Amino acid sequence: MIKTKNISKQYGEIEVLKNINLHIKKSEIVSIVGPSGAGKTTLLQILGTLDKPTNIDNAEIIFSNQSIQKLSDKELSSFRNKHIGFIFQFHQLLPEFTALENVCIPAFIGNASKNDAEKRAKELLSFLGLVNRMNHKPNQLSGGEQQRVAVARALINSPSVIFADEPSGNLDSKAAKDLHELFFKLRDEFGHTFVIVTHNNDLANMADRKLEMKDGKLINS
């Protein structure tokens, strides 16, 4: 599903990632743990094509047999929209739009018709237990509901992989538990692959595989 070779990242003299080699299988749920500053989020951003390795000529990132690290910015943007979903600690919903409208945004970017986007968004929101909250704006939703809307938004284009950065870090314990269980339900129902950066030990230990980062290296990949 995802393979990386020799991924390194430097900011000035600071070496954040050091020759990361990684293989993630289709429909696998992988957690990445480690202390703050270990490089977890930087790795997630590079895997998600939001950033690039410093050693781009020697590094390699392969999604489903397609090498992507040397795609143009326009090609990467299109690839990201079609194949990758993101879930962040802070849901990053647009406050002026309803839950339904927020979920539709990536589909509109991908040139889906309004009817097709809304049909898919309604299916996802219903699946996530938000059938009666579709026309509510973010400030009318609980934290757990907002994060489920963000999950639906990440899924709208049926991506190959979901990257989640501290997805339950801003939730209470019950909402966090519900979100964690949802990831596994989605994997079982739809076959999604999840790569999750987290400090939540319960979520990390639920994963099919738990990777640990320390000083810019994966120590058990």
Side-chain angles (χ1 to χ4, degrees), residues 93-193:
L93 301 178
L94 297 178
E96 66 271 28
F97 294 131
T98 65
L100 180 64
E101 290 167 337
N102 267 284
V103 174
C104 286
I105 289 171
F108 292 149
I109 293 172
N111 296 317
S113 71
K114 186 174 187 292
N115 285 341
D116 287 346
E118 288 189 350
K119 180 182 178 182
R120 174 63 174 159
K122 288 176 180 177
E123 290 173 351
L124 287 168
L125 289 167
S126 295
F127 179 82
L128 297 175
L130 295 168
V131 67
N132 295 319
R133 311 294 278 168
M134 294 184 189
N135 295 315
H136 289 66
K137 292 184 177 180
N139 65 359
Q140 298 172 306
L141 303 173
S142 70
E145 288 172 337
Q146 291 175 28
Q147 196 63 305
R148 277 184 281 157
V149 172
V151 171
R153 181 182 59 190
L155 296 173
I156 186 72
N157 288 338
S158 300
S160 305
V161 59
I162 313 292
F163 293 109
D165 193 358
E166 298 290 358
S168 58
N170 201 38
L171 302 179
D172 62 39
S173 57
K174 182 184 184 305
K177 182 176 182 293
D178 290 344
L179 183 67
H180 300 166
E181 292 174 351
L182 174 62
F183 290 157
F184 287 84
K185 183 178 180 181
L186 289 167
R187 188 272 301 275
D188 294 341
E189 289 274 346
F190 303 113
H192 291 300
T193 303

Side-chain angles (χ1 to χ4, degrees), residues 67-79:
S67 182
I68 60 140
Q69 77 278 7
K70 293 183 181 179
L71 295 179
S72 69
D73 289 344
K74 184 177 181 180
E75 290 169 331
L76 273 179
S77 180
S78 177
F79 180 90

